[in-house]
Amino acid sequence: MSSVLPSSIRPATEETGSARIKSEYRPISSHLAIAPPVSVVIPAMNEAANLPHVFRTLPDWIHEVVLVDGNSTDDTVRVARELRPDVVVVEQTGTGKGDALISGFAACTGEIIVMVDADGSADGEEIVSYVSALVGGADFAKGSRFANGGGTDDMTPVRRLGNRALCAVVNRKFGARYTDLCYGYNAFWRHCLDRIALDCTGFEIETLMNIRVVKAGLRVQEVPSHEYNRIHGVSNLRAVRDGLRVLRVILTEKRVRRRAATAPPVIGRGRLL
């Protein structure tokens, strides 16, 4: 599936054969170098003011950044291209975060895909932890604000209670052991898309992914993550409305039998700019 080079076996800075190693592997930390290219997908709508911070935290060893523009009326696309001239911009033709992510996934060329929000709440420096979990054997690296070492600055008591209750329902109904459910900072091997066949448009896509990776028998590893406050602008998330949509997904998925591994993913909506 991948090529991994722990420094304890052969450091990337080792003099003997260093030229060959550097041409085949990208060092991502003092302890790990990888060969699989990493794509970062960022769904954005009117996030021009936040993108400088978001892009600044992204590690320089990632393969590509795919920005999905949700019909922004500000300078989101222009700012993205100024910050990173090689950014892949996808014009979203549908609506909703789920639709944006599906469009972004379709445009990725990397073997590993990382989901990052555009509001500045996620720290790009944590990507190394997600990638490490994947090259260490996981299929899906799930961010958790409530795992040991995680945290959040941006969750109201109502949202915290709702997330905890919905997480408990998913754990009980699907045999999962999640500590967090509704969080959008995740990473996975691209081949997982063929196993989970995404088909929803809203914020509930995060819950849908968490459920379907369990139903598909994929290996999941939680990664402690800290969620920061949105830097600029106002979130489109509505706790009650989106909580009900998440609950609807949970109940629907419980009634649907596990999807076959050959089920085609619902991808391809969106235009490259």
Side-chain angles (χ1 to χ4, degrees):
M1 178 186 297
S2 64
S3 298
V4 185
L5 185 70
S7 63
S8 58
I9 298 176
R10 184 177 298 184
T13 57
E14 186 179 53
E15 292 184 5
T16 303
S18 61
R20 181 184 64 80
I21 292 173
K22 289 180 180 178
S23 67
E24 296 178 3
Y25 295 88
R26 290 184 304 280
I28 66 174
S29 75
S30 60
H31 302 291
L32 184 69
I34 64 169
V38 177
S39 299
V40 175
V41 176
I42 305 176
M45 183 174 69
N46 297 327
E47 300 286 7
N50 292 320
L51 290 185
H53 171 80
V54 175
F55 278 49
R56 187 167 55 249
T57 68
L58 297 178
D60 57 10
W61 46 262
I62 59 176
H63 167 64
E64 68 182 353
V65 174
V66 176
L67 181 110
V68 185
D69 178 52
N71 302 302
S72 297
T73 57
D74 66 359
D75 292 328
T76 291
V77 173
R78 179 184 63 80
V79 170
R81 286 180 167 151
E82 288 180 352
L83 293 169
R84 190 177 178 110
D86 64 344
V87 65
V88 177
V89 178
V90 177
E91 180 185 15
Q92 185 179 358
T93 57
T95 59
K97 184 177 183 179
D99 180 86
L101 285 171
I102 291 170
S103 298
F105 297 159
C108 290
T109 60
E111 293 181 45
I112 290 175
I113 299 175
V114 184
M115 304 157 46
V116 176
D117 287 340
D119 58 6
S121 62
D123 183 359
E125 293 183 0
E126 292 181 359
I127 290 177
V128 63
S129 298
Y130 289 85
V131 171
S132 296
L134 294 176
V135 298
D139 295 306
F140 189 87
K142 182 192 176 308
S144 173
R145 296 161 291 187
F146 304 113
N148 187 28
T152 177
D153 301 331
D154 187 33
M155 182 173 281
T156 64
V158 171
R159 286 178 55 204
R160 186 184 295 267
L161 179 62
N163 185 63
R164 182 180 301 173
L166 292 169
C167 188
V169 172
V170 167
N171 286 345
R172 180 172 182 178
K173 288 186 175 296
F174 300 97
R177 293 183 294 177
Y178 294 140
T179 60
D180 197 353
L181 185 68
C182 307
Y183 190 41
Y185 201 173
N186 304 294
F188 52 91
W189 291 97
R190 182 179 175 82
H191 69 76
C192 293
L193 291 172
D194 296 329
R195 303 282 298 277
I196 59 179
L198 299 175
D199 54 6
C200 69
T201 61
F203 283 100
E204 68 273 14
I205 190 170
E206 296 150 3
T207 297
L208 183 67
M209 294 179 76
N210 293 333
I211 292 174
R212 289 190 177 172
V213 294
V214 171
K215 292 173 70 174
L218 298 173
R219 292 163 293 183
V220 181
Q221 180 175 329
E222 284 197 328
V223 175
S225 177
H226 192 100
E227 177 187 40
Y228 297 90
N229 288 314
R230 163 182 278 275
I231 300 176
H232 301 285
V234 179
S235 172
N236 292 318
L237 177 67
R238 298 294 180 267
V240 175
R241 178 200 66 187
D242 294 311
L244 290 174
R245 293 183 68 163
V246 167
L247 180 59
R248 190 177 303 118
V249 163
I250 295 172
L251 297 178
T252 299
E253 286 298 302
K254 185 58 181 176
R255 293 193 297 267
V256 177
R257 294 184 61 186
R258 174 180 161 184
R259 284 161 170 74
T262 56
V266 180
I267 59 177
R269 295 175 290 183
R271 296 190 297 271
L272 289 175
L273 293 177

